Amino acid sequence: MAVDWSISFDEKIAPEGLPNAATIEAYSKFHKASIQNYREFWAGIASEIDWFRKWDKVLDDSNPPFYKWFAGGELNASYLCLDRHVKTSRKNKVAIIWEGEPMEDGKPKDVRKLTYNDLYREVNRVAYMLKNKYQIKSGDVIGIYLPMIPELPIFMLAAARLGATFCVVFSGFSADAISERMNDAEAKIVITADGAFRGGKTIDLKSIVDQALEKTKTIRNVVVVSRTHNSVKMVKGRDDNFEDLMKGIPANVQVEPERVKSESPLYVLYTSGTTGKPKGQVHDVGGYMTLLHATMKWVFDIHDHDVYWCMADIGWVTGHSYIVFGPLMEGATEVMYEGLPVFPEQNRWASIIERYGVSVFYTSPTAIRGWIKGGEQWVKMHDTTTVRLMHSVGEPINPEAFRWLFRHVGREMIPFGSTWWMTETGGIMISHLPGLMMVPMKAGTNGFPIPGIDADVVDDSGNSQKANERGYLVIRNPWPGMPLTIFKDPNRFAEVYFSKFPKIFYAGDYAVRDSDGYFWVLGRADEVIKVAGHRLGTYELESALMQHKAVAESAVVGVPDDLKGEVPVAFVILRQGNVASEALKNELKETVRKSVGPIASLKDVIFVSKLPKTRSAKIMRRVVKAVAIGKPPGDTTTLDDEASVDEVKNAYAQLSSEVGNPAQ
Ligand code: 6R9
């Protein structure tokens, strides 16, 4: 089935000014056809991107749940993002407008504008260097621990060019988190920087990497990019300065993009799950790029005249998909900002919109809540009327946050949605689709599953849930962009995502579909928490706590927070001989920060003598959470354990009396 991008529906019920106003019925019909024939549907989209060799089979489903999209096809992600454009009039179009965080005389001190040709040249030079200096080739894994500077996408694209796999670790993670990921991914080399600017401070990334490498087996070399120019210790024979490495490489050197198989791994990105260590999600090339192509058009309605800005960090999936591969594949001009959106003042983000005339804006609920707190006077200082379309991502958007941005930037008339997806899905799955059609918006909803995605809300037995009833979010069909596997752990992949409901992808979120068919994702159904949009597993924080010798056992739960959405609180049982104290609390908080990173700040540590457990010795997490929030665990359907209602009640009473909870 070919896709008609100009599709529009005749009946206009959307507010004035929205593109392609449609009816929900018309969209549902179109969507239904797309999922009934999803193979052909996605093949139609895939044929819009450039292949060196066309696929033999749209979907190889001979070994579920390990699907191969566009099997037999060959392409290269770096070719799609660069070579394609430099052959056209986009050659001298600006690809990335990069703004560094530091300011001087009221202006950003460092701004770099890279055209598609600049980016093409830099990526070729870096690929040449990686290939000749470090013999990087297809199948190798390159670790990247860089701040938000242009070298980050450049190294990702260079790796992709060589057919190598890259593994980016968010620059807010600690040494332990880096070594754990680099060891699991078996990275050969790691790319870092002398430092990063964030919130007016410099963070010494290189020494964090040095610490990590004490526990890392496979890394042979470190490349250090200069950013802050503070002095760093270089280990002879192991560490090289990036600028030195690049000195002799001519500007016009060319490295042929490797013809990689559609199903070969483009990257591994670690993400937190319910139990165990972070899971390395492996994303392919063909399916992934196809999904990004479709969503850049449907969701962001991207056009050549747009200035696109996604505020995420490239260290998370949103940046991989919607700063690096999506917008560059579409030949967009995009803003990339290094630092905090509220540094040095609350208006920084709005000043960026004004300075570059941002027209498509991708932000997050946590950021918006921060701006609300700062006050609307800051956004009013700037002309943000160039923005014609906005989306949010990372966590459910509360209606107040939605309304605030809709009013102050959206002029109460432009499309504004909340895109639901996850590291695992590779790209956006549920969204408003202003590039395709627009139905009326509702404050806080995610909208509709995108074409070709059979998302559903189901009950415990996997049957579709009734309208307005809470259930589990699932995706019923394989889709391009889904992970190939969990790196080196296929059993876990099958178990985590495809065992709760056989053959159906279990996302781990609670959701509701309302009577108009709109999806509302409510939050995680498992032990994953989103702190300021950053995904953390409570298990990781518990493991970190166990590193402290005073801790016998702990349970970490997420509690609601006005600014960050959720924050972690730890319940801790001390080993005999240790006494609870304010000082010990602070020590434990520090232990977690050190082990996981600054994003893992415990809001509180509560010392208890016992944790409520089921007969099979599982911690009754819902009870712990209920106590932390100060509300009885009323809803028994959320109890994934075998405890009876009475047991839960008793456990709640006991624990809350111990912590002195007045809400008992
Ligand atoms: C892209 C990303 C995934 C989890 C996901 C869900 C939450 C993301 C959301 C949302 C409600 C939205 N989430 N976007 N919940 N509305 N628009 O965030 O990936 O870091 O892997 O997190 O984030 O709970 O399951 P990731």
Side-chain angles (χ1 to χ4, degrees), residues 318 394-396 418-423 446 509 524 530 535:
T318 303
E395 23 165 349
S418 170
T419 62
W420 176 87
W421 60 295
M422 48 201 301
T423 310
N446 296 101
D509 277 314
R524 299 290 308 182
K530 279 302 217 53
R535 179 164 164 184

Side-chain angles (χ1 to χ4, degrees), residues 233-389:
K233 199 178 86 218
M234 298 292 276
V235 177
K236 235 184 143 188
R238 188 196 72 180
D239 303 353
D240 292 302
N241 176 275
F242 174 65
E243 288 71 22
D244 292 345
L245 290 169
M246 299 298 285
K247 253 176 208 153
I249 304 174
N252 59 354
V253 73
Q254 292 202 351
V255 175
E256 272 302 294
E258 197 63 29
R259 292 168 67 110
V260 300
K261 288 204 167 67
S262 173
E263 69 271 23
S264 52
L266 176 63
Y267 65 81
V268 183
L269 181 58
Y270 285 83
T271 191
S272 305
T274 308
T275 55
K277 55 186 174 84
K279 303 183 288 267
Q281 304 293 339
V282 188
H283 281 290
D284 70 337
V285 185
Y288 180 69
M289 295 303 276
T290 299
L291 176 63
L292 296 188
H293 169 62
T295 48
M296 281 309 298
K297 287 192 169 252
W298 295 335
V299 178
F300 296 105
D301 186 35
I302 199 78
H303 283 87
D304 259 324
H305 53 73
D306 280 312
V307 176
Y308 167 94
W309 183 24
C310 165
M311 278 187 39
D313 191 292
I314 294 175
W316 304 99
V317 75
T318 303
H320 279 57
S321 298
Y322 296 109
I323 297 179
V324 184
F325 292 101
L328 296 177
M329 173 168 48
E330 299 307 311
T333 292
E334 65 172 329
V335 172
M336 175 178 169
Y337 172 60
E338 178 180 40
L340 286 186
V342 291
F343 179 84
E345 294 291 356
Q346 290 284 340
N347 63 324
R348 182 64 179 269
W349 63 279
S351 80
I352 292 175
I353 293 180
E354 179 173 43
R355 198 154 30 249
Y356 306 112
V358 170
S359 58
V360 177
F361 185 39
Y362 199 18
T363 185
S364 72
T366 289
I368 303 167
R369 288 191 295 259
W371 304 334
I372 296 177
K373 216 172 151 210
E376 63 198 58
Q377 69 276 18
W378 295 101
V379 55
K380 286 192 170 149
M381 287 167 66
H382 298 281
D383 178 2
T384 57
T385 55
T386 48
V387 179
R388 66 173 184 88
L389 192 163

Side-chain angles (χ1 to χ4, degrees), residues 541-568:
L541 309 187
E542 288 160 12
S543 309
L545 280 167
M546 293 306 289
Q547 291 175 5
H548 195 288
K549 56 184 189 323
V551 175
E553 198 178 2
S554 70
V556 174
V557 292
V559 300
D561 181 83
D562 281 352
L563 213 57
K564 295 183 175 175
E566 260 185 315
V567 286

Side-chain angles (χ1 to χ4, degrees), residues 21 69 82 238 307 336 370 412 439 594 596:
W69 277 91
L82 303 168
R238 188 196 72 180
V307 176
M336 175 178 169
E412 291 186 337
V439 294
K594 266 220 172 100
V596 182

Side-chain angles (χ1 to χ4, degrees), residues 64-348:
F66 306 96
Y67 297 96
K68 289 181 186 160
W69 277 91
F70 313 114
E74 288 174 3
L75 73 174
N76 183 292
S78 139
Y79 178 92
L80 291 178
C81 293
L82 303 168
D83 305 47
R84 231 162 40 109
H85 307 311
V86 298
K87 288 181 194 162
T88 70
S89 57
R90 284 201 185 116
K91 180 172 176 175
N92 295 316
K93 182 182 173 185
V94 174
I96 297 177
I97 307 169
W98 175 81
E99 182 170 306
E101 190 191 75
M103 300 279 281
E104 207 173 57
D105 303 328
K107 287 200 194 93
K109 192 162 163 272
D110 311 306
V111 175
R112 282 168 71 184
K113 289 188 181 172
L114 290 109
T115 63
Y116 274 94
N117 198 38
D118 296 335
L119 202 56
Y120 171 78
R121 286 184 167 208
E122 277 312 290
V123 169
N124 272 280
R125 291 177 75 226
V126 170
Y128 181 88
M129 182 274 285
L130 288 172
K131 190 174 167 180
N132 292 296
K133 166 82 183 170
Y134 301 110
Q135 288 75 51
I136 297 297
K137 53 179 186 328
S138 170
D140 288 337
V141 178
I142 300 179
I144 305 180
Y145 183 67
L146 282 174
M148 285 287 285
I149 54 177
E151 283 71 20
L152 176 47
I154 288 171
F155 269 97
M156 292 161 80
L157 290 163
R161 193 162 192 88
L162 298 172
T165 302
F166 59 82
C167 175
V168 180
V169 178
F170 171 59
S171 63
F173 274 128
S174 70
D176 286 354
I178 301 171
S179 56
E180 185 176 35
R181 286 159 175 77
M182 293 295 102
N183 280 330
D184 191 73
E186 296 172 24
K188 266 192 167 170
I189 180 172
V190 64
I191 320 297
T192 189
D194 55 358
F197 290 113
R198 195 144 178 94
K201 287 190 243 143
T202 42
I203 301 153
D204 185 356
L205 296 185
K206 173 63 167 56
S207 73
I208 300 174
V209 168
D210 287 340
Q211 249 176 303
L213 290 200
E214 286 168 21
K215 291 193 223 154
T216 310
K217 293 175 282 235
T218 53
I219 304 273
R220 286 189 238 132
N221 294 99
V222 180
V223 174
V224 185
V225 180
S226 303
R227 170 62 187 130
T228 52
H229 300 287
N230 50 321
S231 74
V232 294
K233 199 178 86 218
M234 298 292 276
V235 177
K236 235 184 143 188
R238 188 196 72 180
D239 303 353
D240 292 302
N241 176 275
F242 174 65
E243 288 71 22
D244 292 345
L245 290 169
M246 299 298 285
K247 253 176 208 153
I249 304 174
N252 59 354
V253 73
Q254 292 202 351
V255 175
E256 272 302 294
E258 197 63 29
R259 292 168 67 110
V260 300
K261 288 204 167 67
S262 173
E263 69 271 23
S264 52
L266 176 63
Y267 65 81
V268 183
L269 181 58
Y270 285 83
T271 191
S272 305
T274 308
T275 55
K277 55 186 174 84
K279 303 183 288 267
Q281 304 293 339
V282 188
H283 281 290
D284 70 337
V285 185
Y288 180 69
M289 295 303 276
T290 299
L291 176 63
L292 296 188
H293 169 62
T295 48
M296 281 309 298
K297 287 192 169 252
W298 295 335
V299 178
F300 296 105
D301 186 35
I302 199 78
H303 283 87
D304 259 324
H305 53 73
D306 280 312
V307 176
Y308 167 94
W309 183 24
C310 165
M311 278 187 39
D313 191 292
I314 294 175
W316 304 99
V317 75
T318 303
H320 279 57
S321 298
Y322 296 109
I323 297 179
V324 184
F325 292 101
L328 296 177
M329 173 168 48
E330 299 307 311
T333 292
E334 65 172 329
V335 172
M336 175 178 169
Y337 172 60
E338 178 180 40
L340 286 186
V342 291
F343 179 84
E345 294 291 356
Q346 290 284 340
N347 63 324
R348 182 64 179 269

